[in-house]
Amino acid sequence: MNRQSAVWVAAVADVLLVALFVVIGRRSHAEGLDLAGLWQTAWPFLAALVLGWLVSLAWRRPLALWPSGVVIWAVTLVGGMLLRAASGQGTQLPFVLVAAGTLALFLLGWRALVALVARLRSRRTAS
């Protein structure tokens, strides 16, 4: 996969996984899945995700767990919570902890799997 394709795949994967985080969260709290409600919950995290991409310069190594993935995850979590607080949305500690774990699983997990597959493929090639 060339770098341009990797950037697009990684960006789309990150956006879809943040959206999945929002859908799971809203469903687990019996909140509606209407477009306005989804947007209200999602925009702080999506805005922070974009910031995470910019801060980490993720387009240079979009599939890398470190530093791209870790920085994207941290900025998405902290920035998303700050934007939620600024917009009058909740940031209770249990939510922050669940969001930290879920976003780590989603934003770091797929990158870790990509790294594992690449490592396994390189071992097979070397053998």
Side-chain angles (χ1 to χ4, degrees):
M1 177 182 311
N2 66 37
R3 186 186 308 181
Q4 185 176 6
S5 296
V7 168
W8 280 107
V9 166
V12 169
D14 285 348
V15 168
L16 290 176
L17 289 167
V18 168
L20 179 60
F21 160 70
V22 168
V23 168
I24 290 169
R26 289 187 63 86
R27 290 214 49 190
S28 71
H29 294 286
E31 295 175 328
L33 295 181
D34 59 290
L35 192 55
L38 288 168
W39 178 249
Q40 180 184 6
T41 305
W43 79 262
F45 294 104
L46 292 172
L49 175 68
V50 170
L51 182 60
W53 268 73
L54 294 172
V55 168
S56 69
L57 307 175
W59 56 88
R60 292 182 177 175
R61 295 185 58 218
L63 306 179
L65 186 59
W66 174 259
S68 300
V70 172
V71 172
I72 289 168
W73 165 73
V75 172
T76 301
L77 176 65
V78 173
M81 291 302 168
L82 290 173
L83 289 170
R84 280 181 62 87
S87 64
Q89 299 184 54
T91 57
Q92 295 80 7
L93 182 60
F95 174 63
V96 173
L97 295 175
V98 168
T102 304
L103 289 171
L105 177 67
F106 286 179
L107 298 176
L108 300 176
W110 76 263
R111 286 177 169 88
L113 286 174
V114 166
L116 178 63
V117 168
R119 188 172 298 135
L120 292 173
R121 283 185 179 169
S122 70
R123 284 185 187 169
R124 284 185 188 163
T125 304
S127 298

